[in-house]
Amino acid sequence: MIRMIATDMDGTFLSDQKGFDRTAFANLYRKWKANGTRFVIASGNQYQHLSDIFKDDDQQLDYIAENGALIVSNGQVLQQHTLAPQAVATALDLLETDPRLANALVILSGAKDAYISASASPEFFAEGAKYYRHLQPVEDLRQLSDRFFKIALAWPNQDVSNQELILRAALPELHVTSSGFGGIDIVPQGVNKGNAMRFLQTRWQISPAETAAFGDSNNDLELLTACTESYAMANANAKIKAVAKYITKHDNNNGGALRQMATL
């Protein structure tokens, strides 16, 4: 019996237009609540942005945000991991000095707010604003007093495989993962969606065999391997399809995740 369902958002639960069938979800969620099944939103995105997506739905939802750096249940923070200030400074130095990492969109996702350089182009700002409730332009990303869950990087619509390898080699004390759509997230070492899921499984005494998970990109790898009933989206990359137990019949633009959830 499935007692917990976890899903990635972009490219998985959401269509490319950032929507989902709210009526179908409401009907499923009503059934899940009645039988005690937990629904977990597991995303690289900011918690505030994720809660906005579900603002019209019951707010007693569970969130794995910032690629596992922040876990929130029913509005209560259960666990959080932030980057050491020196680690943030080292990463920013690297992005400024290594020409192989040039032209990156850089966002610092913090406990108070999300921040972007004031010199970012309007196009880059608009791209970042898709994933953050409020994106604050600042003159110097180094002069901030917030605590940061994540450094989010993007080279929109590019293959970022090389950038990911460069960052992993240069920042071995941090966890670097590609999030799809030309994005890379940098979080504290040991932080990922899978470890966050294991934390929730332990907290709520739900086994991996009682957990289903859905994903499409590399930052969903650990999440899928933490759950016995793992589903790669029909539109997932080859690496995710290789590790998942199942592949959905329909892609994210045709409600593939919700359709499969309805059968569980």
Side-chain angles (χ1 to χ4, degrees):
M1 175 182 174
I2 297 300
R3 297 175 55 206
M4 180 158 56
I5 298 170
T7 182
D8 171 54
M9 286 284 105
D10 298 300
T12 301
F13 190 81
L14 299 178
S15 69
D16 292 347
Q17 288 71 44
K18 309 303 178 186
F20 64 97
D21 187 332
R22 290 190 176 274
T23 300
F25 172 72
N27 290 335
L28 277 176
Y29 186 62
R30 192 177 303 115
K31 183 183 79 171
W32 295 333
K33 281 194 71 177
N35 65 23
T37 301
R38 307 203 73 115
F39 179 71
V40 182
I41 295 104
S43 173
N45 290 340
Q46 178 195 46
Y47 164 66
Q48 293 89 335
H49 170 74
L50 295 171
S51 64
D52 284 346
I53 293 174
F54 292 92
K55 65 180 182 297
D56 297 326
D57 303 293
D58 189 311
Q59 289 302 293
Q60 294 180 338
L61 295 172
D62 304 314
Y63 296 87
I64 293 172
E66 310 282 13
N67 268 329
L70 178 64
I71 305 175
V72 179
S73 177
N74 195 21
Q76 176 188 0
V77 175
L78 300 185
Q79 189 179 73
Q80 57 184 323
H81 302 277
T82 55
L83 293 157
Q86 185 55 51
V88 175
T90 299
L92 291 176
D93 285 343
L94 180 66
L95 291 163
E96 289 178 1
T97 58
D98 193 324
R100 298 171 298 175
L101 302 173
N103 303 316
L105 166 64
V106 182
I107 294 173
L108 297 183
S109 188
K112 299 176 184 176
D113 213 339
Y115 309 88
I116 188 172
S117 172
S119 63
S121 70
E123 293 78 15
F124 268 15
F125 187 90
E127 182 67 23
K130 295 177 183 178
Y131 307 100
Y132 297 88
R133 175 187 289 176
H134 180 248
L135 192 54
Q136 181 178 337
V138 294
E139 292 300 325
D140 188 351
L141 291 173
R142 300 172 184 276
Q143 302 301 316
L144 295 169
S145 59
D146 209 342
R147 295 174 295 113
F148 301 108
F149 298 117
K150 178 185 69 182
I151 303 171
L153 310 176
W155 291 262
N157 303 313
Q158 291 186 32
D159 179 353
V160 294
S161 301
N162 288 337
Q163 290 95 324
E164 184 178 4
L165 290 173
I166 292 165
L167 288 163
R168 283 184 174 178
L171 304 170
E173 74 284 5
L174 300 176
H175 181 61
V176 178
T177 183
S178 60
S179 53
F181 307 98
I184 291 177
D185 288 344
I186 302 174
V187 293
Q189 190 62 262
V191 169
N192 57 63
K193 295 181 186 181
N195 283 340
M197 176 52 63
R198 293 183 184 93
F199 171 84
L200 293 180
Q201 288 167 337
T202 299
R203 182 182 181 89
W204 294 326
Q205 297 183 337
I206 298 174
S207 71
E210 297 171 309
T211 312
F214 294 77
D216 74 302
S217 296
N218 288 357
N219 66 335
D220 300 316
L221 177 64
E222 294 90 353
L223 174 67
L224 296 186
T225 56
C227 305
T228 302
E229 300 303 295
S230 57
Y231 293 85
M233 297 301 296
N235 53 284
N237 67 37
K239 186 174 182 180
I240 295 301
K241 287 181 177 178
V243 301
K245 185 175 180 180
Y246 310 103
I247 298 174
T248 64
K249 181 178 179 180
H250 302 282
D251 66 14
N252 67 307
N253 287 320
N254 289 283
L258 269 173
R259 290 189 188 199
Q260 190 64 57
M261 289 174 190
T263 70
L264 299 177

